[in-house]
Amino acid sequence: MAIDPSAQTARPLAMQLLAGPPGTAASAADAIAAAAAWPAVVHQCRQWNVLPALAARIRAASLLLPQAQATTVAREAAVEILRTKFCLRAGADALRLLADAGIPAVAFKGFAVIAAMHRGDSERMVRDVDILIGPDTVPAALAVLESHGYRQAVGTGDLAEYIAFVQNSPGAAGNEAVSLTLRPGADLDLHWKLGRIDAAELLATARQVNVLGRDVQIARPAFGLLLSVHHAVRNDFVPDHIARDVLDCAGWFALLAEDPVEFACARKHAECWGLTDSVAAMSLIVQTFGHEDRWGGTGSAPPAAADLAALYVHQLESGPINTDLAYLGSSRAVRQVLAGAWSGWRRYTDMMRAFEKRNREESLTLWQRIRRLADSARGLSPHEWRQIRALARAKDRLSG
């Protein structure tokens, strides 16, 4: 089947329009129009969950789209903004329930981005709210939320069994969390471990802000940046999974550049938490779209950071890699899978398929994964292998 040329160019064009400085929007829009790629770009933004950001960029730059795409963006962005507000309210309600029960909790990622950089507006859409609690409060927090109707989206209800699976899942990269749902549009991810990131410090340094008339605790800006980068590493710098992280990081870098205390805090903790190369890589990625360097200063980026940024650009232009390739460069990942198999292969694979179903990922048998991995490995150049090894090392450092 023939490949639509506009689809081949939609991904980099969409990111250039969204992630570039405001002054570059017109030239990006001209390139999209010249490639007849507006339908593909709008579709791509829908897949990335960034239609409100696209609508905001169109308004701010007074861009002219073909009528069909202009109508689609305006209509669907308005729907997503309403959904985001509904989700934010549900997240704020969950934070209030935890606070009333004396359980420290802090919102991060999208919730914190909206509160800190968009003044509560919903240019940044969310599909769920990420909340961090202390690891010693997990049973109590789940009891509080479940008593108000929240239920685990994945799992058997056996918390110990669920945690054992997460700890033996290489894709988690040291992240331990449970997804909860109250009703459609009222979802949250309750985290208690984020690799090497110190949960206690995030909780102790939280900032109180008002979102939609509710006072909530969010992560401080320095940690907002690091947590966005953390999510990008966990998702293998795959552009389809981290479009919002790239946009968020551009905003965090600009915000920290105006606050020397937060900037110094971010630098210190990036090193402590194994994120130095990954943050530098995200800085390079943001610079790819025309932003100035607000992180690295006059020195050159570490080679590993350059490899990670190149991996992102390669995937943006050519499509996602087989993310299982990162396991080949990590003895930690192999040990985790073996530990999961030893604890009970059937339970392990059943839980993995449940996660894949929730994330709308393809479920493969072990031998199908091995064959696909071998095929992917054979096609890699030495330069691409270096990028994969840089990713594997970044995930291992993050996992602790």
Side-chain angles (χ1 to χ4, degrees):
M1 184 174 67
I3 298 176
D4 181 355
S6 65
Q8 289 181 290
T9 58
R11 298 152 62 96
L13 286 174
M15 281 306 297
Q16 188 64 57
L17 176 61
L18 292 166
T24 66
S27 59
D30 288 343
I32 293 170
W38 273 116
V41 165
V42 171
H43 174 74
Q44 190 65 71
C45 290
R46 182 185 299 113
Q47 298 298 108
W48 287 345
N49 294 322
V50 292
L51 277 176
L54 175 62
R57 179 52 60 97
I58 290 169
R59 288 194 304 271
S62 300
L63 301 180
L64 295 177
L65 276 67
Q67 185 59 49
Q69 281 72 58
T71 301
T72 295
V73 170
R75 182 182 67 250
E76 294 189 24
V79 171
E80 294 299 346
I81 288 170
L82 288 175
R83 287 177 177 167
T84 290
K85 289 182 177 179
F86 182 76
C87 189
L88 292 175
R89 289 192 180 98
D93 288 343
L95 287 165
R96 178 183 54 78
L97 291 171
L98 294 172
D100 289 347
I103 299 171
V106 57
F108 64 101
K109 278 182 60 185
F111 198 115
V113 170
I114 290 171
M117 289 192 284
H118 298 294
R119 296 180 177 85
D121 292 335
S122 300
E123 175 183 323
R124 197 320 187 156
M125 67 172 281
V126 298
R127 286 291 176 87
D128 52 45
V129 171
D130 290 277
I131 294 175
L132 176 70
I133 59 174
D136 57 335
T137 65
V138 174
L142 285 174
V144 167
L145 294 173
E146 288 175 349
S147 71
H148 286 83
Y150 279 93
R151 293 291 179 267
Q152 290 189 41
V154 176
T156 62
D158 185 326
L159 183 60
E161 183 176 284
Y162 175 86
I163 292 176
F165 167 78
V166 173
Q167 291 174 339
N168 291 323
S169 176
N175 182 66
E176 295 181 20
V178 59
S179 295
L180 301 172
T181 185
L182 179 63
R183 54 187 176 273
D187 301 324
L188 62 89
D189 286 342
L190 191 68
H191 303 253
W192 56 89
K193 188 173 185 296
L194 297 165
R196 286 172 60 181
I197 293 175
D198 187 345
E201 188 159 7
L202 262 69
L203 291 166
T205 59
R207 306 282 180 85
Q208 181 169 293
V209 298
N210 188 278
V211 176
L212 300 178
R214 293 162 168 83
D215 291 329
V216 295
Q217 298 286 319
I218 65 168
R220 66 185 290 181
F223 297 159
L225 169 66
L226 300 185
L227 290 163
S228 292
V229 173
H230 169 274
H231 187 257
V233 178
R234 282 186 55 218
N235 284 275
D236 305 293
F237 286 94
V238 175
D240 288 352
H241 298 160
I242 68 165
R244 287 177 292 179
D245 296 313
V246 173
L247 302 183
D248 294 346
C249 284
W252 287 127
F253 283 128
L255 192 65
L256 296 187
E258 300 174 356
D259 190 333
V261 173
E262 289 300 306
F263 184 87
C265 177
R267 274 201 170 280
K268 172 187 173 183
H269 287 84
E271 183 174 354
C272 291
W273 296 341
L275 283 165
T276 300
D277 289 340
S278 299
V279 178
M282 187 60 79
S283 177
L284 291 174
I285 290 168
V286 169
Q287 292 172 58
T288 297
F289 301 111
H291 291 274
E292 63 181 277
D293 181 8
R294 297 180 183 270
W295 181 257
T298 57
S300 59
D307 285 334
L308 291 171
L311 176 64
Y312 169 85
V313 173
H314 171 72
Q315 295 182 92
L316 184 67
E317 296 174 346
S318 304
I321 61 167
N322 177 353
T323 54
D324 286 351
L325 287 165
Y327 302 156
L328 297 179
S330 171
S331 60
R332 174 188 173 88
V334 174
R335 290 196 302 271
Q336 285 179 292
V337 173
L338 290 177
W342 182 259
S343 67
W345 182 248
R346 176 61 63 83
R347 290 197 306 274
Y348 185 78
T349 55
D350 285 348
M351 192 79 76
M352 182 166 50
R353 291 194 180 96
F355 270 89
E356 289 169 341
K357 181 179 180 180
R358 173 171 170 76
N359 296 327
R360 298 179 181 178
E361 298 172 353
E362 183 182 11
S363 289
L364 300 172
T365 66
L366 174 63
W367 293 113
Q368 286 174 324
R369 293 182 81 103
I370 290 174
R371 284 196 296 271
R372 190 177 69 168
L373 183 59
D375 290 340
S376 299
R378 279 195 295 268
L380 291 179
S381 68
H383 182 65
E384 291 167 335
W385 266 119
R386 190 170 68 246
Q387 295 171 6
I388 295 296
R389 286 196 297 272
L391 174 63
R393 288 193 293 269
K395 297 186 79 168
D396 282 349
R397 282 193 296 270
L398 180 66
S399 300

